[in-house]
Amino acid sequence: MPQLEVSDFAQAVIDRMADCPDARFKEVMAALVKHAHAFVREVDLTPDEWMAGIQFLTATGQKCDEKRQEFILLSDTLGISMLVVALEQARGAKALADQPGERPTEATVQGPFFWPGAPRRDLGDDIGEGYGEPTLYHGRVTDTSGQPIAGCELDVWSGDEGGLYDMQKGDSMSLRAQFRTDQDGNYRFWSIKPTFYPVPGDGPVGAMLDRMGRHLNRPGHMHMMLQAPGHERLVTHIFVKDSPYLDSDAVFGVRNSLIVDFPKHQPGKAPDGRTMNRPYYTAKYDFRLVPSSR
């Protein structure tokens, strides 16, 4: 049996997949092996460095639990999550290239703090009572041709006035809810003006960012996940226009089209008719969903 040389190992591994019945799996794994081996050769990786990498990945997995996903945080902070999102949107844009209508709303990362099963609330409800600066979120959900989408489900969630999410504090669900648009595609709810915050820095990903010389911070944002029959699911944010770190988001998730004014208003009657006895903010954003191709 001929001995493998340094340049031969990747192809030897790929050749062992000759009988793989799943063509896409084979394609992905062959590319992974090819590029991983090229990386090892390029940096002339030492055994101690490879073991440190294995220990880092092991620690990343050990940091995960039912409320914390350190691997998502790793993917986010390396820019891989947003790259995957961008590639998916590029495929969708190509499919829509010959069709009339407006561009769909841009997607961004889901992040590690989504918690399925948020309570369903009525339009106009306040999910931010007892927390930070009150803000009315409102707008319309349509398809790319401008037709309203009734009954669209909106999952919304954010951190508190200090930037902490409920699951980080060990609390029951707070500052998150599900709403459904009305017959004209309108949505509205009250929450708080989000603030910038650091991603968790007490795990292996935080240690990695520190060693890279990077900060942990994300600009203030409200998470939105929209789902409607006959349309592609959209996972996105609304970013606060005057927030720090818009130009250096730790997870590379900012899109200019998602940056929104949060005008401040004095006490009085809000646009939805509610009487406010203290200053409040409003954030208006209209979403456009892509018709499903499946």
Side-chain angles (χ1 to χ4, degrees), residues 206-229:
M208 177 194 75
L209 293 176
D210 182 62
R211 194 165 180 181
M212 285 178 166
R214 291 172 53 186
H215 69 71
L216 300 169
N217 294 300
R218 298 213 63 205
H221 59 273
M222 174 64 70
H223 291 265
M224 300 277 205
M225 180 186 296
L226 293 83
Q227 302 181 82

Side-chain angles (χ1 to χ4, degrees), residues 24-151:
R24 176 60 177 169
F25 179 74
K26 182 179 179 180
E27 177 188 13
V28 171
M29 289 305 299
L32 174 62
V33 169
K34 176 182 176 182
H35 290 287
H37 280 244
F39 156 73
V40 171
R41 293 194 304 270
E42 178 183 340
V43 302
D44 194 17
L45 202 67
T46 68
D48 286 346
E49 289 168 339
W50 182 232
M51 182 53 66
I54 290 173
Q55 291 170 342
F56 170 78
L57 292 174
T58 300
T60 299
Q62 290 170 339
K63 197 67 175 177
C64 298
D65 57 32
E66 68 277 3
K67 291 185 177 180
R68 177 162 176 172
Q69 234 303 345
E70 193 79 357
F71 271 110
I72 291 180
L73 186 61
L74 176 61
S75 173
D76 288 354
T77 54
L78 291 179
I80 296 173
S81 297
M82 265 312 301
L83 176 59
V84 172
V85 168
L87 288 170
E88 177 69 5
Q89 286 233 301
R91 284 190 289 270
K94 186 176 180 180
L96 291 172
D98 297 329
Q99 299 182 24
E102 299 290 332
R103 289 181 59 187
T105 300
E106 290 190 285
T108 188
V109 294
Q110 178 172 299
F113 298 121
F114 175 64
W115 191 348
R120 190 172 301 283
R121 303 288 295 267
D122 293 329
L123 289 179
D125 279 358
D126 189 345
I127 66 171
E129 290 180 304
Y131 292 95
E133 299 172 296
T135 302
L136 172 64
Y137 294 83
H138 64 111
R140 199 162 179 245
V141 181
T142 68
D143 62 19
T144 50
S145 64
Q147 294 301 307
I149 301 177

